[in-house]
Amino acid sequence: MLSDVTTPQDLDDRFRETLAALPAAQRRRDPADPVTDDAPLTGARLLELFDAQVTSRQLDLAGRWLRSFGEGFYTIGSAGHEGNAAVAAALRPTDPALLHYRSGAFYCVRAAQVADATTPTDTADAERAADREAAADPEPAAEPEPAGSERPTGGFAAYAEAARDVLRGMVASSEEPIAGGRHKVFGRADLAIVPTTSTIASHLPRAVGMGLAVERLRRLDTVGRRAGAGVRVGSGAGAAHAPWPPDAIVVCSFGDASVNHASATAAFNTAGWYDHAGLRIPVLFVCEDNGLGISVRSPEGWVEATLRAKPGIHYFSADGADPVRAYEVAQEAAAWVRRHRRPAVLHLRTVRLMGHAGADAESAYRSPAELAEDLQRDPVAATSRLLVDAGVATADELLARYDETGWQVRRLAEEVLGEPKLASAADVVSALAPRRPVRVARAVADAAARASGPGSAAREEAFGGKPPELAGPLTLAQSINAALADGLLDHPQMAVFGEDVAAKGGVYGVTKGLRDRFGAARVFDTLLDETSVLGLGLGAGLAGMLPVPEIQYLAYLHNAEDQLRGEAATMQFFSQGAFRNPMVVRVAGLAYQEGFGGHFHNDNSVAVLRDVPGLVIAVPARPDDAAPMLRTCLASAAVDGSVCVFLEPIALYHTRDLYAEGDGEWLAGYPEPGSWVAGHVPVGRARVYRVGSADDLTIITFGNGVRMSLRAAAVLAEEGVGTRVVDLRWLAPLPVADIIRESSATGRVLVVDETRRSGGVGEGVIAALVDAGYVGAARRVAGVDSFVPLGPAARHVLVSPEAITDGARTLLAR
């Protein structure tokens, strides 16, 4: 039986010994009464929390059992952290939660709350009225009733569904309800639990963004917010938008070692920064402190000192081995955040039992005395002791519940063993990044119809009576600015934010005037931290907004890129589309700025972006491509939940000429809404320029390479060479069909890659040609594997028009 499973600490045997040693109470207590005279929990409620803790403990034991014969693939458990059951009980089941991987008891309580919630009609009506009042009143609402009106019935039956979810994750069952066998996570849309896969607190910046968005949406008129962004109940086209209640708070848990991580520091700093500025962020951080990060100890007192020192974040503290006090403090902390709409941290002291994971031999770095001390603080044993001392239950009754839960968990474990696994690569990637180009095109068409129809008056007013199509030829920067304005007009939930984007209008003027037109709630400056900028976007998208954050320079992205790789791009993958974080990240980048720079302002490294599965990377080179490509990205984010990076070549922002000074050939008119449909640019579709006969050579390029290649093609045309210049426009997904078609047309391909030779875009283009069986000639002209130096020295490592021309001649001479 499951209870025979032993661990390095003989956890099961020790628990039994503890129960056997408990003396019987002098009298039995009515379970309906408080468990102690001044306790906020009744005996019945504490017994329910005990059942949740035991279920979590038995799941940990089952994970070790499954792993012992190769059928379990995840053994990081929650043993020692079961005190978080009290935290879950103190919250509402509609408070969105981002949980770290020792949250088994929390998950069980939340699942039972949702499954067994029963609210009388008159109470429901009163709550709906209160929600409407709170939405209309930007001031903090009156103190809500304490959590706990939705109570699980107790016993394993209340937690069976949650146990099955967790076990399915352990065995990588494709029927697991959130990740579908892709990873073991705590998450379910109907439980308002957002899956997190991080072990190092990279979900904390998202939590801050969620809190900011929840509060903004609470204060804004929600009429006109379209379904299809943010949280989705279910997946696919019919999934319904399910915003959280106006007075919801965000809860986010993490371990003590993560306090030291840059992502956590960024999140705390951002929450405190906004609080200091007077903006409200209702986030409850829960630091579960067991004193260890795998084998590395947190110095005594360090975590408390660190958390207490965070400006703008209210500090609460409790012992996870004291369920009554933990519940009381958690309830107090949640009520404080809910009332004041401000951030707080609950420092919950815990222990870690059974090591970090199944393969962790704690005896290598912890003494027997330390292990024994932790066993004395076992939260499940502590809850048992309190129940017996209070006379709510006897030790034999608790042992019977413990064993019954063990048998039931073992039974479920044996059932899920036979469930199917993901059977193919197609199964694995099906939830990664859905692409529905027809729906995206329809969304663009709908936006055009609104802009030229019912929204035409508002559009004319927003542009001061002179819409951009009447402004004459525009630069790349001006075209992007106009497209952002059109996006803000069409998407009420859209927000543009980043460093210097509001009052200044961006370092290069790309967002100039947008704040004046749309207000500080929709176009605003952030603090100078890219992790936080992206975290705000991640949370805002999850909460139902359409965020368009700006990263000021491509080089600044690299210290925050895990927010895209580990957080943004994985959300749909690990939730099967139940959760989405639609986002269009504008990044000023690439090289060729004259008289300015060095590698921070002339960064040509995009390999890290191209390596992120599912990420859309757009690089507009021409003004007449920029607006339709941005519209496509916004529509793709709204329709498919896409995470898009809109990489804007800085050197082309204000470029006006192509072949000669004053020719104005790099300017373009802005299309009026009636032509948006005809000019729609689908994701992954290239643009082809034909110079001369276009029969001799194909140049494949992007960004600054387009302008240089067109200039080189003009020189070659004078020599009788006909060239077709292919602007990729999309670096992910690459327009492979266009690449193959245009390459095969001439049989000679020159790939002009302004990024680096190693890890550059050109490698992907050449690989696509090889995979397709291309048999013609091919050559690359690429940047040198170097950072971009300051001043004229940059010319030695970057691609030049002359290098393109020479490369073409060499290729033609073969």
Side-chain angles (χ1 to χ4, degrees):
M1 62 186 281
L2 195 61
S3 58
D4 287 337
V5 175
T6 58
T7 71
Q9 295 81 28
D10 296 319
L11 190 58
D12 179 72
D13 289 342
R14 297 296 184 93
F15 177 71
R16 294 174 181 279
E17 291 170 7
T18 298
L19 283 180
L22 293 178
Q26 295 296 318
R27 63 180 180 85
R28 293 299 294 259
R29 182 183 297 265
D30 185 343
D33 292 339
V35 69
T36 61
D37 292 341
D38 58 347
L41 286 171
T42 65
R45 184 59 170 149
L46 185 60
L47 196 58
E48 291 165 357
L49 296 185
F50 170 80
D51 289 331
Q53 292 180 327
V54 167
T55 301
S56 177
R57 178 64 56 85
Q58 295 288 7
L59 285 169
D60 288 351
L61 297 177
R64 304 299 177 99
W65 173 72
L66 290 165
R67 183 70 185 93
S68 70
F69 54 91
E71 290 291 349
F73 308 101
Y74 196 91
T75 54
I76 296 178
S78 304
H81 285 247
E82 292 92 350
N84 57 37
V87 179
L91 294 162
R92 296 179 182 177
T94 51
D95 291 330
L98 298 90
L99 305 178
H100 73 141
Y101 50 34
R102 300 195 190 278
S103 300
F106 186 113
Y107 186 79
C108 287
V109 172
R110 176 62 66 89
Q113 286 175 326
V114 171
D116 297 322
T118 55
T119 305
T121 302
D122 56 344
T123 304
D125 290 341
E127 288 182 350
R128 282 192 290 270
D131 286 349
R132 288 193 297 269
E133 182 180 348
D137 181 6
E139 294 304 314
E143 180 62 37
E145 290 297 318
S149 59
E150 305 91 353
R151 301 193 185 282
T153 58
F156 178 73
Y159 309 111
E161 185 178 5
R164 189 186 297 273
D165 292 347
V166 174
L167 289 165
R168 281 172 162 166
M170 290 178 180
V171 302
S173 166
S174 61
E175 295 182 13
E176 191 270 332
I178 188 68
R182 292 168 182 82
H183 194 44
K184 160 65 176 64
V185 295
F186 290 113
R188 248 175 58 190
D190 61 321
L191 306 185
I193 296 179
V194 180
T196 67
T197 62
S198 168
T199 62
I200 52 169
S202 65
H203 58 297
L204 268 65
R206 179 200 294 277
V208 175
M210 288 172 65
L212 183 64
V214 164
E215 188 61 10
R216 282 184 178 272
L217 294 174
R218 185 179 79 88
R219 292 167 177 263
L220 292 173
D221 180 7
T222 59
V223 175
R225 252 194 290 162
R226 295 184 184 82
V231 188
R232 301 175 75 84
V233 178
S235 59
H241 184 234
W244 299 297
D247 64 344
I249 68 173
V250 179
V251 60
C252 177
S253 64
F254 57 99
D256 55 288
S258 293
V259 164
N260 306 300
H261 195 271
S263 296
T265 299
F268 288 129
N269 185 67
T270 301
W273 188 88
Y274 274 113
D275 187 77
H276 186 78
L279 295 176
R280 298 305 182 218
I281 298 183
V283 175
L284 176 60
F285 298 102
V286 180
C287 178
E288 298 188 16
D289 180 4
N290 63 28
L292 288 162
I294 305 184
S295 66
V296 179
R297 291 173 174 81
S298 294
E300 183 67 30
W302 169 251
V303 175
E304 178 177 351
T306 299
L307 295 177
R308 282 187 179 276
K310 301 299 183 186
I313 299 177
H314 202 63
Y315 178 84
F316 295 87
S317 177
D319 184 354
D322 181 349
V324 172
R325 180 60 179 159
Y327 174 80
E328 185 177 29
V329 174
Q331 194 176 57
E332 180 185 354
W336 191 90
V337 174
R338 201 180 308 279
R339 176 189 289 270
H340 297 287
R341 317 303 295 168
R342 296 177 63 189
V345 61
L346 170 58
H347 183 192
L348 189 69
R349 290 173 177 82
T350 65
V351 293
R352 190 186 72 189
L353 305 177
M354 296 198 295
H356 175 71
D360 180 28
E362 286 195 294
S363 58
Y365 55 89
R366 301 188 74 192
S367 69
E370 286 180 279
L371 298 176
E373 185 179 347
D374 275 1
L375 280 170
Q376 293 301 313
R377 298 188 61 240
D378 180 350
V380 183
T383 303
S384 303
R385 191 175 297 112
L386 180 57
L387 287 166
V388 173
D389 290 347
V392 176
T394 67
D396 288 342
E397 289 170 345
L398 294 182
L399 182 59
R401 295 174 87 102
Y402 177 83
D403 281 337
E404 175 62 20
T405 297
W407 275 110
Q408 295 292 349
V409 168
R410 170 69 175 267
R411 177 182 61 82
L412 289 178
E414 291 175 345
E415 287 180 7
V416 301
L417 279 175
E419 292 183 349
K421 307 291 192 292
L422 293 167
S424 66
D427 287 345
V428 172
V429 303
S430 61
L432 177 61
R435 298 274 181 265
R436 293 176 289 190
V438 174
R439 295 191 184 189
V440 170
R442 187 183 305 141
V444 171
D446 291 344
R450 287 188 292 269
S452 59
S456 58
R459 184 172 184 267
E460 185 169 347
E461 181 182 356
F463 284 108
K466 189 177 183 180
E469 58 266 26
L470 301 180
L474 304 179
T475 62
L476 179 69
Q478 292 169 331
S479 184
I480 294 171
N481 177 278
L484 286 170
D486 270 324
L488 285 161
L489 284 165
D490 191 59
H491 298 277
Q493 73 274 39
M494 178 174 158
V496 175
F497 53 90
E499 302 166 13
D500 301 303
V501 304
K504 184 178 176 64
V507 173
Y508 296 95
V510 179
T511 57
K512 185 177 181 179
L514 293 181
R515 188 187 69 167
D516 294 339
R517 296 182 205 172
F518 298 98
R522 302 190 64 198
V523 181
F524 57 93
D525 289 325
T526 64
L527 72 176
L528 273 66
D529 175 58
E530 284 69 32
T531 294
S532 296
V533 172
L534 293 177
L536 292 174
L538 289 168
L542 198 60
M545 297 177 68
L546 181 55
V548 183
E550 178 187 289
I551 301 298
Q552 201 165 82
Y553 289 101
L554 177 58
Y556 298 173
L557 174 68
H558 300 311
N559 61 37
E561 58 204 18
D562 187 55
Q563 291 295 301
L564 289 178
R565 186 205 66 83
E567 294 291 318
T570 61
M571 180 52 67
Q572 295 202 80
F573 184 71
F574 289 128
S575 72
Q576 302 182 92
F579 291 95
R580 319 182 320 166
N581 39 219
M583 186 163 61
V584 180
V585 185
R586 293 183 45 251
V587 182
L590 302 177
Y592 297 98
Q593 287 195 83
E594 293 292 335
F596 181 67
H599 80 285
F600 267 119
H601 303 97
N602 284 283
D603 184 22
N604 60 350
S605 177
V606 300
V608 69
L609 293 173
R610 292 187 60 246
D611 188 52
V612 178
L615 198 69
V616 173
I617 307 174
V619 184
R622 297 288 296 263
D624 50 347
D625 279 334
M629 289 174 70
L630 183 54
R631 273 192 290 274
T632 296
C633 286
L634 292 172
S636 183
V639 170
D640 291 330
S642 300
V643 180
C644 305
V645 173
F646 200 73
L647 182 57
E648 302 164 5
I650 297 173
L652 299 178
Y653 269 149
H654 306 299
T655 297
R656 306 177 68 86
D657 307 320
L658 174 56
Y659 299 112
E661 185 175 352
D663 66 16
E665 290 289 332
W666 206 255
L667 302 174
Y670 189 85
E672 53 87 22
S675 63
W676 290 0
V677 174
H680 173 57
V681 178
V683 172
R685 183 65 56 83
R687 178 175 181 176
V688 181
Y689 299 85
R690 288 175 169 78
V691 181
S693 67
D695 292 335
D696 302 311
L697 174 69
T698 299
I699 298 178
I700 299 176
T701 187
F702 64 96
N704 294 286
V706 178
R707 184 169 181 267
M708 291 187 292
S709 295
L710 287 172
R711 292 164 69 97
V715 172
L716 293 170
E718 294 176 357
E719 301 172 8
V721 176
T723 305
R724 52 187 69 200
V725 176
V726 180
D727 178 3
L728 294 170
R729 297 196 291 198
W730 306 92
L731 303 189
L734 280 172
V736 174
D738 296 329
I739 290 171
I740 303 306
R741 184 189 63 249
E742 299 302 324
S743 299
S744 301
T746 65
R748 298 185 184 89
V749 176
L750 181 67
V751 180
V752 175
D753 180 5
E754 65 175 291
T755 62
R756 299 166 190 167
R757 193 166 190 85
S758 298
V761 176
E763 289 183 345
V765 174
I766 296 294
L769 290 170
V770 171
D771 289 346
Y774 172 75
V775 294
R779 184 179 175 86
R780 268 195 304 166
V781 176
V784 173
D785 289 344
S786 168
F787 300 106
V788 180
L790 191 65
R795 298 169 189 162
H796 299 305
V797 299
L798 297 175
V799 173
S800 66
E802 294 74 21
I804 297 171
T805 306
D806 291 344
R809 290 172 178 145
T810 300
L811 187 61
L812 290 164
R814 289 183 179 177

